[in-house]
């Protein structure tokens, strides 16, 4: 991570509700920090976004901005996603290791906790599962007998 130099710099424009300052140029809107960075440092590389190292979205000091991937920017932030990604243990205290971690579309899960959850679910629904299996078995048996008749 790059080191910040100097104080935050601000433009006189009022920040938007999301904290960023925007400028209008040629009929279009631009983020002020991106505009100033490109004027003073150069183009932002394709596929990268600017991370405010000072965590102040209204700051336009190029020394406080670093081009990074969106993933790095998100994980450096102060968001729920960043906090969850930084966790090394599940809520029950089991360590997130490659062997003990399941990747799911909505995040990750500890395998120990997942197995315990499945066991509790099975215990709660054991009788219903047996009944579904019994009905399925008898239906298949009746279909087979009807075929043979």
């Amino acid at each position: 991570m790059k080191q910040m130099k100097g104080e935050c710099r601000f433009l006189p424009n009022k920040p938007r509700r999301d904290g960023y300052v925007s400028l209008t140029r040629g009929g279009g809107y631009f983020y002020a920090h991106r505009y100033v960075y490109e004027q003073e440092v150069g183009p932002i590389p394709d596929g990268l976004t600017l991370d405010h190292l000072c965590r102040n979205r209204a700051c336009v000091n190029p020394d406080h901005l670093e081009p990074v991937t969106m993933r790095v920017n998100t994980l450096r932030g102060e968001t729920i996603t960043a906090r969850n990604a930084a966790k090394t243990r599940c809520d029950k205290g089991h360590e997130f290791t490659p062997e003990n971690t399941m990747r799911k579309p909505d995040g990750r899960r500890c395998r120990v906790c997942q197995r315990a959850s499945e066991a509790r679910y099975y215990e709660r629904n054991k009788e219903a599962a047996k009944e579904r299996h019994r009905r399925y078995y008898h239906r298949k048996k009746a279909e087979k007998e009807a075929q043979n008749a």
Side-chain angles (χ1 to χ4, degrees):
M1 185 182 330
K2 140 182 172 179
Q3 291 297 107
M4 291 191 315
K5 294 180 203 149
E7 299 291 319
C8 288
R9 283 181 14 203
F10 303 101
L11 297 178
N13 308 45
K14 182 180 177 192
R16 302 173 341 167
R17 273 191 255 168
D18 62 4
Y20 291 101
V21 174
S22 60
L23 303 171
T24 52
R25 292 276 189 273
Y29 286 92
F30 300 92
Y31 284 118
H33 66 286
R34 294 178 62 87
Y35 179 79
V36 172
Y37 185 90
E38 288 178 340
Q39 294 303 306
E40 294 188 21
V41 177
I44 301 164
D46 286 344
L48 300 184
T49 188
L50 293 178
D51 181 20
H52 283 88
L53 302 175
C54 58
R55 294 284 157 258
N56 187 336
R57 292 176 175 178
C59 176
V60 296
N61 184 343
D63 291 328
H64 291 193
L65 303 170
E66 181 180 18
V68 295
T69 63
M70 186 60 82
R71 176 177 169 74
V72 168
N73 194 15
T74 299
L75 295 178
R76 282 184 183 175
E78 297 166 357
T79 63
I80 292 170
T81 302
R83 283 193 298 275
N84 283 334
K87 290 180 182 177
T88 58
R89 296 184 174 277
C90 75
D91 293 340
K92 302 280 188 208
H94 305 117
E95 191 172 6
F96 282 124
T97 63
E99 300 79 31
N100 188 42
T101 305
M102 298 173 61
R103 298 275 174 202
K104 298 186 137 213
D106 60 340
R108 61 186 172 166
R109 182 96 195 245
C110 159
R111 287 184 191 279
V112 173
C113 291
Q114 180 67 31
R115 280 193 291 272
S117 174
E118 289 168 358
R120 286 190 306 274
Y121 178 86
Y122 175 77
E123 283 302 315
R124 279 193 318 269
N125 297 287
K126 184 169 27 179
E127 293 307 316
K130 285 180 183 177
E131 180 59 27
R132 279 193 306 276
H133 178 72
R134 189 188 64 72
R135 282 195 308 264
Y136 174 81
Y137 174 77
H138 287 294
R139 188 179 78 235
K140 287 293 185 187
K141 185 176 176 185
E143 287 173 3
K144 196 172 190 179
E145 288 172 357
Q147 273 182 343
N148 292 339

